[in-house]
Amino acid sequence: MNKNSSNTMALAPNTSNKRQTVCVFGTGDFGRALGHKMIQSGYHVVFGSRSAQTSSLIPKDAEVLSHAEAAQKAAIIIIAIQRQHYNFLTPLAEILQGKVLVDVSNNLKINQYPESNAEYLAQLVPGAKVVKAFNTVSAWALQSGTLDASRQVFVCGDDMEAKQMVMDIARALGLTPLDRGSLLAAQEIENYPLQLFPMWKFPILLSLGLTTFFFFYCLIREVIYAYVYENKDFSFFIAISIPNRICPVLALILLALVYLPGVLAAIIQLYRGTKYRRFPDWLDKWMLCRKQLGLVALAFASLHVLYTLVIPIRSFVRWRISSRTIALALNNKTEPLNTTNAWLSDSYLALGILGFFLFVLLGITSLPSVSNNVNWREFRFVQSKLGYLTLILCTAHTLVYGGNRFLSPSSYRWYLPNAYMLALVVPCIVLVVKFVLVFPCLDKPLTQIRQGWERKPQYSE
Amino acid sequence: MNKNSSNTMALAPNTSNKRQTVCVFGTGDFGRALGHKMIQSGYHVVFGSRSAQTSSLIPKDAEVLSHAEAAQKAAIIIIAIQRQHYNFLTPLAEILQGKVLVDVSNNLKINQYPESNAEYLAQLVPGAKVVKAFNTVSAWALQSGTLDASRQVFVCGDDMEAKQMVMDIARALGLTPLDRGSLLAAQEIENYPLQLFPMWKFPILLSLGLTTFFFFYCLIREVIYAYVYENKDFSFFIAISIPNRICPVLALILLALVYLPGVLAAIIQLYRGTKYRRFPDWLDKWMLCRKQLGLVALAFASLHVLYTLVIPIRSFVRWRISSRTIALALNNKTEPLNTTNAWLSDSYLALGILGFFLFVLLGITSLPSVSNNVNWREFRFVQSKLGYLTLILCTAHTLVYGGNRFLSPSSYRWYLPNAYMLALVVPCIVLVVKFVLVFPCLDKPLTQIRQGWERKPQYSE
Amino acid sequence: MNKNSSNTMALAPNTSNKRQTVCVFGTGDFGRALGHKMIQSGYHVVFGSRSAQTSSLIPKDAEVLSHAEAAQKAAIIIIAIQRQHYNFLTPLAEILQGKVLVDVSNNLKINQYPESNAEYLAQLVPGAKVVKAFNTVSAWALQSGTLDASRQVFVCGDDMEAKQMVMDIARALGLTPLDRGSLLAAQEIENYPLQLFPMWKFPILLSLGLTTFFFFYCLIREVIYAYVYENKDFSFFIAISIPNRICPVLALILLALVYLPGVLAAIIQLYRGTKYRRFPDWLDKWMLCRKQLGLVALAFASLHVLYTLVIPIRSFVRWRISSRTIALALNNKTEPLNTTNAWLSDSYLALGILGFFLFVLLGITSLPSVSNNVNWREFRFVQSKLGYLTLILCTAHTLVYGGNRFLSPSSYRWYLPNAYMLALVVPCIVLVVKFVLVFPCLDKPLTQIRQGWERKPQYSE
């Protein structure tokens, strides 16, 4: 009701687009930025400050008063001070009775305190309605107007009316408020802006490690070997040829690692005869970053495609083809078409194209807006059925690429097999185990276990 | 109010993070999974069960009581039993008075019953506040924590307060509740998890049919013909050459089929002189799956691009080019540049590139998150103007590809024209009719009809 | 309460799926379309009209009454008439007391009137609860069922209960209501459907201008020069060669223009010694369309990639390579591998691939659904760190492409340098200035200024 009446007032001519008085405690950078923005959006802003000293940077149109005076002027008070200083609010408890306190604070570390700042505030001033909001917005973005990622304001609080008032302010500032429920969500909201791609850490570190390993592996096999035995300088292979060996190898290994934990989980469940015991911690974590692993694999696959498609433009490749043609012409020879080679070359390219195509499809369905529009049955169909088909196609692509020189001794240099042969190990294991698990004698008990059946029930005693 | 007070209690030290008591009726797989998850999230869970017998799998921290006893302990009761057994609730009506009943049930078929399960429940227990929720979440996903597509919980119900309480539980479990309005939405929510890409069925079946047809068509023309008349083995064409004929043909036909229904609708409206009569059913259905048709066409176009770009890497193509060069060198000939050929080759490639580029743009704007961010005027501009431009470019690409050998008799084998000539039929018809419809003498009455004008008003009597 | 009771009624057998009576004022195209759709969805619809004359097109199942009679039958009245005729509502004020009036009107121009139509309506009928809704939906889309972009219904209003009722109707019609807050948001909602990519105008006009300039520049250098001096007809360069010069040039320039305003802003802030003064207007506007500039640059980069990858398929290129090979063969020569050329060719391709890859990554993170799922820290990391890395890679790609013929006199035709050399000017300036700004002596004061420090505080007096 409060809100509506103040809005109706806003339409009255004499208030000239001023909507509501909002009080801001704290004249730090964020408080000033928020105050500034609210003044621009037509609010009347009152700052509560310890002294008039620090007020030199405060927007002109704002009033600066003592905390107690400022609090009395507004129904909403934004607490733009750090958690350590919250206890100064205790003496003001009486004035703050029934007011909406907006906690905008952030911490320096994830889970820095046992309870969230907003819950701590609610304990300090039990009579006030505490709402957590605005902590995901940066002061700089607020002031420069370059809001993009930060348009979202997570709001939580126990009082619906208070939450609505804060969400209306957020909308007036051009932000998108998102209700996250009761004050219990504050901890999560406070942790949110501190994260830097937490789910991506493991996949990226893993792929960096594997990239380094395969880079030196290929460097030895392709560049140093040729230099030592044939005294040829193939150092320029570092630019394209070696990356184009690393990328497909990593794409295949990482894609197989997406499906390995599911296979392991099935084995563990079959062995234990129940689904009601937790998986080992490492397996849980692994399962949670499968999407990220898959997307990193897709990135490597895309690079592989680009590296492969520029092959005919490379100066080295043009030179090699032209040299061979000239040599044949000078020797008066014409080669007949080798149908086996044509078959092998065309099939591994076709398998690669189809595999990559399905892989991109998987990537698109993992976009948030797409995966939110499919139901669980559809998502599982895409991620599981199409995912395994992709893995099969990519593994076949690599196998056919090896083709007839697969186990020929000439492909071993210093006893090192070609990199793609190493890449085949994990995907082949995954596919073989998955193939075994599909047999009815294993599939049936597994399905039962997943539906809740237990070989020896444990909670029975 | 209830909710807030229990939340405040949650912060009191002696309740140690226990928030609320939730009752679960039914100890089946889903009930147990949900109960387990709620216990993990800090709720106190009471199971209501017919007997203590079935309770062996129930999470340790949960209480198991009779239905009546369990119901009295909580304000929220989750009905995790099948619709057929709902009538056991009738005797409990008095105890359930004023309680929030959460219907989590799913059916086996779409529209299995005349009214939704939730509405049936509301009729059985008129005094309770029925909320439909959680049916889109799978028990397995809940327990294994691998929630991705299933994070969304559609919630509907007639009581706002009750809905809020259920939505808070969903949020506490790490799910995303979405308010779908009153209990009348329950039918739709119950049908949702049973769908498997319903809109994609027709486009995919159609493209499978066309693919099969064109595969055998090209097989006869390219492989069998060469084998019969020239005794050459071009069977490896199956891997890349033939797919690269099928893909562009299907992309073009399907793209034209996206715009054909709009053209047909315009003709029907012009003929009838009104827009107030329903289109034939097949046309309505066709119009509704245009987006999916377009995306399947885009998939074929993307495959065509990939198949085309690997051409120079193919062993067969390298052999063919090298053979020709050697033959010329051995005959001491140098060919002059054929400017017409250069023009034709460059133009059809350029047209193809631009057409594909616009096609991808159309695909991107049909992503849910992008199309939600454009208004209707922008969407129509992209889908209609850019769409027709794409169709024109792709048709021109195919026409110029034919180039000077378009009607030469040598391109007919066994009286069969080249596949791309068949592909041109539908797009050319669409473009010609659209071109005719753009003329003012037809465009003006059509616009009037679409604005509501009628040649002979029918509702007048 | 009203809503719930009517819903309960809806389940009673005798009302046969009729939910609620909705009144529609105005029998124009939109009113009829909305009425029709509501009848289909089970509502009882009463039209309010000046006369029975205009009612010939009105859906059969609807009643048509005088305004006053119709208004009395329903709690919700949809005002489907134009703003100019709103004053006819003044005499009805008494009947409209307490009713929900839904303003669905649109204007012809952005900000046509000083206050929004909905606010004007609220002033005319102060006793009614005005809700703005449905203006983003088109009558045609409503009736033909082809809702896609237009599924979103922005709703705003000062009365929560009234807003809920309107949002329930929207949901019943298969639309997605979005609460935009109080009636003050009506102006924005009314402007929304009038926009046609407002943020894209500047980037697209700029790139069209640059494209035209570079087209004629390249035409003179590549085609006319060759025709005048060597009398060769290279007019077919217009199809691929010249676009493939324009696209990378524009991609690089536009990408640099994305980062130039940030650099300028930093210089201005350093010079002024404060962040509290507004930037010049052109800089503000420039900063707001950086995302669009970047996406246009990405479009050009994608076209460049496609144009480059088809190079080996071009008839002209095949002829040129084959001619050179034949010439070498006829002269009995075999060229040795030029390692420097191999290095240059491979490095510029590799730099281009990596640059394009990062560029696509930036593009993906700017998809609304992706950028909504990252926090501000992550977004800045991607857009700033990865963005500059992309710019560095693309600039290096162009520099290495120039390679050893960078300043050779032969690359000047009619004193005109190659187009890529012109393209390097802006990115090099941006990178050099950014490099200077990273030095601690400038970075430190800049960081302080951005945290709110001022060299000479201005608000102090």
Side-chain angles (χ1 to χ4, degrees):
Chain A
M1 289 301 114
N2 256 343
K3 192 188 117 250
N4 289 343
S5 62
S6 66
N7 273 330
T8 317
M9 253 168 61
L11 296 168
N14 64 323
T15 55
S16 67
N17 208 26
K18 285 267 186 292
R19 289 179 222 179
Q20 226 178 315
T21 300
V22 178
C23 169
V24 179
F25 274 15
T27 54
D29 200 43
F30 191 79
R32 291 201 309 271
L34 202 60
H36 208 265
K37 189 84 187 172
M38 287 194 292
I39 291 170
Q40 276 179 7
S41 307
Y43 286 93
H44 180 226
V45 174
V46 188
F47 280 94
S49 170
R50 267 163 303 166
S51 62
Q53 202 67 349
T54 55
S55 62
S56 56
L57 301 168
I58 287 174
K60 261 192 296 204
D61 297 333
E63 266 180 276
V64 186
L65 301 168
S66 77
H67 286 125
E69 287 170 321
Q72 274 163 331
K73 294 232 174 179
I76 299 182
I77 299 158
I78 291 165
I79 311 292
I81 50 180
Q82 285 174 303
R83 179 194 171 114
Q84 301 94 281
H85 308 125
Y86 277 6
N87 41 16
F88 89 92
L89 292 167
T90 326
L92 299 169
E94 210 166 315
I95 297 163
L96 300 179
Q97 189 69 28
K99 303 270 183 191
V100 178
L101 301 190
V102 186
D103 184 302
V104 300
S105 65
N106 267 321
N107 294 325
L108 297 171
K109 284 188 302 182
I110 286 178
N111 293 329
Q112 195 172 358
Y113 299 99
E115 81 282 69
S116 67
N117 300 352
E119 288 168 304
Y120 174 63
L121 181 61
Q123 284 175 302
L124 281 177
V125 195
K129 301 161 187 168
V130 173
V131 174
K132 179 86 206 176
F134 294 114
N135 71 313
T136 52
V137 184
S138 96
W140 186 74
L142 259 183
Q143 213 140 32
S144 66
T146 55
L147 292 153
D148 225 332
S150 45
R151 231 175 256 285
Q152 286 193 353
V153 173
F154 297 119
V155 180
C156 76
D158 290 335
D159 188 279
M160 280 292 278
E161 196 82 10
K163 238 180 344 187
Q164 273 302 328
M165 287 164 85
V166 174
M167 285 164 84
D168 279 345
I169 293 179
R171 279 195 205 95
L173 305 189
L175 303 163
T176 311
L178 286 175
D179 187 350
R180 280 299 168 103
S182 75
L183 209 57
L184 288 151
Q187 186 94 25
E188 202 191 320
I189 295 178
E190 286 173 11
N191 284 337
Y192 183 75
L194 297 167
Q195 297 167 352
L196 186 64
F197 299 113
M199 305 304 291
W200 290 86
K201 243 165 231 164
F202 170 65
I204 284 174
L205 285 179
L206 178 68
S207 57
L208 277 183
L210 285 172
T211 303
T212 317
F213 169 73
F214 279 106
F215 177 74
F216 287 108
Y217 190 89
C218 293
L219 195 71
I220 291 167
R221 263 185 54 96
E222 320 271 326
V223 179
I224 297 175
Y225 184 89
Y227 189 75
V228 169
Y229 281 86
E230 311 170 32
N231 201 22
K232 281 184 188 161
D233 177 14
F234 284 149
S235 58
F236 61 88
F237 276 12
I238 291 172
I240 293 192
S241 302
I242 291 182
N244 200 19
R245 293 212 181 267
I246 299 171
C247 288
V249 162
L250 260 95
L252 189 58
I253 293 179
L254 292 176
L255 182 60
L257 290 182
V258 171
Y259 292 97
L260 188 51
V263 161
L264 289 179
I267 293 174
I268 290 177
Q269 286 181 340
L270 268 178
Y271 173 79
R272 288 181 178 168
T274 176
K275 70 166 184 181
Y276 293 105
R277 274 165 61 196
R278 287 185 69 87
F279 292 125
D281 226 38
W282 54 268
L283 190 57
D284 264 349
K285 277 187 190 153
W286 190 352
M287 287 180 106
L288 284 173
C289 70
R290 284 186 291 182
K291 178 178 158 186
Q292 283 74 18
L293 267 176
L295 288 175
V296 173
L298 178 56
F300 278 105
S302 310
L303 279 175
H304 169 48
V305 168
L306 284 173
Y307 278 123
T308 303
L309 291 179
V310 298
I311 285 177
I313 316 176
R314 291 173 63 194
S315 155
F316 166 67
V317 173
R318 285 190 173 166
W319 167 82
R320 201 178 54 189
I321 290 173
S322 146
S323 304
R324 268 190 82 226
T325 311
I326 295 170
L328 285 169
L330 293 183
N331 292 323
N332 242 343
K333 276 201 289 190
T334 44
E335 258 183 343
L337 172 64
N338 182 335
T339 323
T340 316
N341 266 355
W343 253 116
L344 280 176
S345 141
D346 278 14
S347 351
Y348 100 79
L349 288 172
L351 286 167
I353 287 172
L354 293 174
F356 179 66
F357 175 76
L358 285 184
F359 210 159
V360 170
L361 223 66
L362 288 178
I364 291 173
T365 55
S366 74
L367 280 175
S369 70
V370 178
S371 64
N372 280 343
N373 277 302
V374 298
N375 65 33
W376 201 72
R377 196 177 159 210
E378 293 165 343
F379 187 77
R380 264 196 44 142
F381 174 80
V382 170
Q383 294 295 329
S384 165
K385 298 271 161 61
L386 287 195
Y388 267 105
L389 188 55
T390 309
L391 185 58
I392 291 169
L393 284 172
C394 292
T395 312
H397 165 68
T398 316
L399 282 167
V400 178
Y401 167 76
N404 39 18
R405 74 212 138 99
F406 197 52
L407 290 174
S408 88
S410 71
S411 63
Y412 292 84
R413 299 187 188 149
W414 285 331
Y415 304 105
L416 298 176
N418 219 318
Y420 75 85
M421 291 169 73
L422 298 182
L424 280 167
V425 177
V426 190
C428 285
I429 291 175
V430 171
L431 287 178
V432 166
V433 177
K434 180 73 190 175
F435 181 73
V436 170
L437 285 174
V438 164
F439 277 99
C441 60
L442 288 173
D443 188 45
K444 244 174 95 180
L446 189 60
T447 308
Q448 286 180 331
I449 287 168
R450 290 196 170 154
Q451 285 168 353
W453 175 84
E454 290 195 297
R455 207 183 297 133
K456 11 180 172 115
Q458 294 160 342
Y459 300 110
S460 51
E461 69 278 358
Chain B
M1 289 300 113
N2 258 342
K3 192 190 117 243
N4 289 343
S5 61
S6 66
N7 272 331
T8 319
M9 256 168 58
L11 297 167
N14 63 324
T15 56
S16 69
N17 208 29
K18 286 266 187 292
R19 291 177 220 180
Q20 229 177 313
T21 299
V22 179
C23 168
V24 179
F25 274 14
T27 54
D29 200 41
F30 190 79
R32 292 201 309 271
L34 202 60
H36 208 265
K37 188 84 188 171
M38 287 194 291
I39 291 169
Q40 276 179 6
S41 308
Y43 285 94
H44 179 226
V45 174
V46 189
F47 280 94
S49 171
R50 267 163 303 167
S51 62
Q53 202 69 347
T54 55
S55 64
S56 58
L57 302 167
I58 286 175
K60 260 191 297 202
D61 297 334
E63 266 180 276
V64 185
L65 301 169
S66 77
H67 285 125
E69 286 170 321
Q72 274 164 331
K73 293 232 173 179
I76 299 183
I77 299 158
I78 290 165
I79 312 292
I81 50 181
Q82 285 173 303
R83 178 194 171 115
Q84 301 93 281
H85 309 126
Y86 276 7
N87 41 17
F88 90 92
L89 291 168
T90 327
L92 299 170
E94 210 168 314
I95 297 164
L96 299 178
Q97 189 69 26
K99 303 271 184 191
V100 178
L101 301 190
V102 186
D103 184 301
V104 301
S105 65
N106 267 322
N107 294 325
L108 297 171
K109 283 188 302 182
I110 285 178
N111 293 329
Q112 196 172 358
Y113 299 100
E115 81 282 69
S116 67
N117 301 350
E119 287 167 304
Y120 174 63
L121 181 61
Q123 283 175 302
L124 281 177
V125 196
K129 300 163 189 167
V130 173
V131 174
K132 178 88 207 176
F134 294 115
N135 71 313
T136 52
V137 185
S138 95
W140 186 74
L142 258 183
Q143 211 139 32
S144 65
T146 54
L147 292 154
D148 225 332
S150 46
R151 231 174 257 286
Q152 287 193 353
V153 173
F154 296 119
V155 179
C156 76
D158 289 335
D159 189 279
M160 281 292 278
E161 197 81 10
K163 238 179 347 187
Q164 273 302 328
M165 287 163 85
V166 176
M167 284 165 85
D168 279 345
I169 293 179
R171 279 195 205 94
L173 305 190
L175 303 164
T176 311
L178 285 176
D179 187 350
R180 280 299 168 103
S182 75
L183 208 57
L184 288 152
Q187 185 95 24
E188 201 191 321
I189 295 178
E190 285 172 13
N191 283 337
Y192 183 76
L194 297 169
Q195 297 168 350
L196 186 63
F197 298 113
M199 304 304 293
W200 291 86
K201 242 165 233 163
F202 170 66
I204 284 174
L205 285 179
L206 177 68
S207 57
L208 279 182
L210 284 173
T211 303
T212 318
F213 169 73
F214 279 106
F215 176 75
F216 287 108
Y217 189 89
C218 293
L219 196 70
I220 290 168
R221 263 185 54 95
E222 321 270 328
V223 178
I224 297 176
Y225 183 89
Y227 188 73
V228 170
Y229 281 86
E230 311 171 30
N231 201 22
K232 280 184 189 160
D233 177 14
F234 284 148
S235 59
F236 61 87
F237 276 11
I238 290 171
I240 292 192
S241 302
I242 289 181
N244 200 19
R245 292 212 184 268
I246 298 170
C247 288
V249 163
L250 260 95
L252 190 57
I253 292 179
L254 292 176
L255 181 60
L257 290 181
V258 171
Y259 292 97
L260 188 52
V263 161
L264 290 179
I267 292 173
I268 290 176
Q269 287 181 340
L270 267 179
Y271 173 80
R272 289 181 177 168
T274 175
K275 71 166 185 182
Y276 291 107
R277 273 165 61 196
R278 286 186 69 88
F279 293 125
D281 226 38
W282 54 268
L283 189 56
D284 264 349
K285 275 187 190 151
W286 190 352
M287 285 181 107
L288 284 173
C289 70
R290 284 185 292 182
K291 178 178 158 185
Q292 284 74 19
L293 268 175
L295 289 175
V296 173
L298 179 56
F300 279 105
S302 310
L303 279 175
H304 169 48
V305 168
L306 284 173
Y307 278 123
T308 303
L309 291 178
V310 298
I311 285 177
I313 316 175
R314 290 173 63 193
S315 155
F316 166 68
V317 173
R318 284 190 173 166
W319 167 83
R320 201 179 53 189
I321 291 173
S322 145
S323 304
R324 267 190 82 223
T325 311
I326 294 169
L328 285 169
L330 292 183
N331 292 323
N332 241 343
K333 276 203 289 190
T334 44
E335 257 182 344
L337 173 63
N338 182 335
T339 323
T340 316
N341 266 354
W343 254 115
L344 280 175
S345 141
D346 277 14
S347 346
Y348 99 79
L349 288 172
L351 286 167
I353 288 171
L354 293 174
F356 179 66
F357 175 75
L358 286 184
F359 209 159
V360 170
L361 223 66
L362 287 178
I364 291 173
T365 55
S366 74
L367 281 174
S369 71
V370 178
S371 64
N372 280 342
N373 276 302
V374 298
N375 65 32
W376 201 72
R377 196 178 159 208
E378 293 165 344
F379 187 76
R380 264 196 43 143
F381 175 80
V382 170
Q383 295 294 330
S384 165
K385 298 270 161 64
L386 287 194
Y388 268 105
L389 189 55
T390 309
L391 184 59
I392 291 169
L393 284 172
C394 292
T395 311
H397 165 68
T398 315
L399 282 167
V400 177
Y401 167 75
N404 37 19
R405 74 212 139 99
F406 197 51
L407 290 173
S408 85
S410 71
S411 62
Y412 293 83
R413 299 187 188 151
W414 284 331
Y415 303 105
L416 299 175
N418 219 317
Y420 74 86
M421 290 168 74
L422 299 181
L424 281 167
V425 177
V426 191
C428 285
I429 290 173
V430 171
L431 288 178
V432 167
V433 177
K434 180 73 189 176
F435 181 72
V436 171
L437 285 174
V438 164
F439 276 99
C441 58
L442 290 171
D443 189 45
K444 245 173 95 180
L446 189 61
T447 308
Q448 286 180 332
I449 287 168
R450 289 196 172 154
Q451 284 169 354
W453 175 84
E454 289 195 297
R455 208 182 297 134
K456 11 181 173 112
Q458 294 159 343
Y459 300 111
S460 50
E461 69 277 2
Chain C
M1 287 302 112
N2 257 343
K3 191 188 118 246
N4 289 343
S5 62
S6 66
N7 273 330
T8 318
M9 255 168 59
L11 295 168
N14 64 324
T15 55
S16 69
N17 208 29
K18 287 265 186 292
R19 288 177 224 181
Q20 227 177 315
T21 300
V22 179
C23 169
V24 179
F25 274 14
T27 53
D29 200 44
F30 191 79
R32 292 201 309 271
L34 201 61
H36 207 265
K37 188 85 188 171
M38 286 194 294
I39 290 170
Q40 276 179 7
S41 307
Y43 285 93
H44 180 226
V45 174
V46 188
F47 279 95
S49 171
R50 268 164 302 166
S51 62
Q53 200 69 347
T54 55
S55 62
S56 57
L57 302 167
I58 286 175
K60 261 191 297 204
D61 298 333
E63 267 179 275
V64 186
L65 300 169
S66 77
H67 285 125
E69 286 170 322
Q72 273 163 333
K73 293 231 173 180
I76 299 183
I77 299 158
I78 291 166
I79 311 291
I81 48 179
Q82 286 173 303
R83 180 195 170 114
Q84 301 94 278
H85 309 125
Y86 277 7
N87 40 17
F88 90 92
L89 292 168
T90 327
L92 299 169
E94 210 167 312
I95 297 163
L96 300 178
Q97 188 69 27
K99 302 272 184 191
V100 178
L101 302 190
V102 186
D103 183 301
V104 300
S105 65
N106 267 321
N107 294 324
L108 297 171
K109 284 189 301 181
I110 286 178
N111 293 329
Q112 196 172 357
Y113 299 100
E115 81 283 68
S116 68
N117 300 351
E119 287 167 306
Y120 174 64
L121 181 61
Q123 282 175 303
L124 280 177
V125 195
K129 300 164 188 165
V130 174
V131 173
K132 178 86 206 176
F134 294 116
N135 71 312
T136 53
V137 185
S138 95
W140 186 75
L142 258 183
Q143 212 140 31
S144 65
T146 55
L147 292 153
D148 224 333
S150 45
R151 230 174 256 286
Q152 287 193 354
V153 174
F154 297 118
V155 180
C156 76
D158 290 334
D159 189 280
M160 280 293 278
E161 196 81 11
K163 235 174 358 183
Q164 273 302 327
M165 287 163 86
V166 175
M167 285 165 84
D168 279 345
I169 293 179
R171 278 195 205 95
L173 306 189
L175 303 164
T176 312
L178 286 176
D179 187 350
R180 280 300 168 101
S182 75
L183 207 57
L184 288 151
Q187 184 95 27
E188 203 190 321
I189 295 178
E190 287 173 12
N191 284 336
Y192 183 76
L194 297 169
Q195 297 167 352
L196 185 65
F197 299 114
M199 305 304 292
W200 290 86
K201 243 166 232 165
F202 170 65
I204 284 174
L205 285 179
L206 178 69
S207 57
L208 278 183
L210 285 172
T211 302
T212 317
F213 169 73
F214 279 107
F215 176 74
F216 287 108
Y217 190 90
C218 292
L219 195 72
I220 291 167
R221 263 186 55 96
E222 320 271 326
V223 179
I224 298 176
Y225 184 90
Y227 189 73
V228 170
Y229 281 86
E230 310 172 30
N231 201 21
K232 282 183 187 161
D233 177 14
F234 283 150
S235 58
F236 62 86
F237 276 12
I238 291 172
I240 292 192
S241 302
I242 290 181
N244 200 19
R245 291 212 184 268
I246 298 171
C247 288
V249 162
L250 260 95
L252 190 57
I253 292 180
L254 293 175
L255 182 60
L257 290 181
V258 171
Y259 292 97
L260 188 51
V263 161
L264 289 179
I267 292 174
I268 290 177
Q269 287 181 338
L270 269 178
Y271 173 78
R272 288 182 178 168
T274 176
K275 71 166 182 180
Y276 292 107
R277 273 163 63 194
R278 287 185 70 87
F279 292 126
D281 226 38
W282 54 269
L283 189 57
D284 263 349
K285 277 187 191 152
W286 190 352
M287 287 180 105
L288 285 173
C289 70
R290 284 185 292 181
K291 178 178 158 185
Q292 283 74 19
L293 268 175
L295 289 175
V296 173
L298 179 55
F300 279 104
S302 310
L303 279 175
H304 170 48
V305 168
L306 284 173
Y307 278 123
T308 303
L309 292 178
V310 297
I311 285 178
I313 316 175
R314 291 174 62 193
S315 154
F316 166 68
V317 173
R318 285 191 173 164
W319 168 81
R320 201 178 55 190
I321 291 173
S322 145
S323 303
R324 268 190 81 225
T325 311
I326 294 169
L328 285 169
L330 293 182
N331 291 323
N332 240 342
K333 277 202 289 190
T334 44
E335 258 184 344
L337 172 64
N338 182 335
T339 324
T340 316
N341 266 354
W343 254 116
L344 280 176
S345 143
D346 278 15
S347 345
Y348 100 78
L349 288 172
L351 286 167
I353 288 171
L354 293 174
F356 180 66
F357 175 75
L358 286 184
F359 209 160
V360 170
L361 223 66
L362 288 178
I364 291 173
T365 55
S366 75
L367 281 174
S369 70
V370 177
S371 65
N372 280 343
N373 276 302
V374 299
N375 65 33
W376 201 72
R377 196 179 158 206
E378 293 165 343
F379 187 77
R380 262 196 45 142
F381 174 80
V382 170
Q383 294 295 329
S384 165
K385 298 270 162 64
L386 287 195
Y388 268 105
L389 190 54
T390 309
L391 185 58
I392 290 169
L393 285 171
C394 292
T395 312
H397 165 68
T398 316
L399 282 167
V400 177
Y401 167 76
N404 38 18
R405 74 212 138 100
F406 196 51
L407 290 173
S408 86
S410 69
S411 62
Y412 293 84
R413 298 185 188 152
W414 285 331
Y415 303 106
L416 299 175
N418 220 317
Y420 75 85
M421 291 168 74
L422 299 182
L424 280 167
V425 177
V426 189
C428 285
I429 291 174
V430 171
L431 288 178
V432 166
V433 176
K434 180 72 188 176
F435 181 72
V436 170
L437 285 173
V438 164
F439 277 99
C441 59
L442 289 172
D443 188 46
K444 246 173 92 179
L446 189 59
T447 308
Q448 287 179 331
I449 286 169
R450 290 197 169 153
Q451 285 169 353
W453 175 84
E454 290 194 295
R455 208 183 296 133
K456 11 180 172 116
Q458 294 159 341
Y459 301 111
S460 49
E461 68 277 0

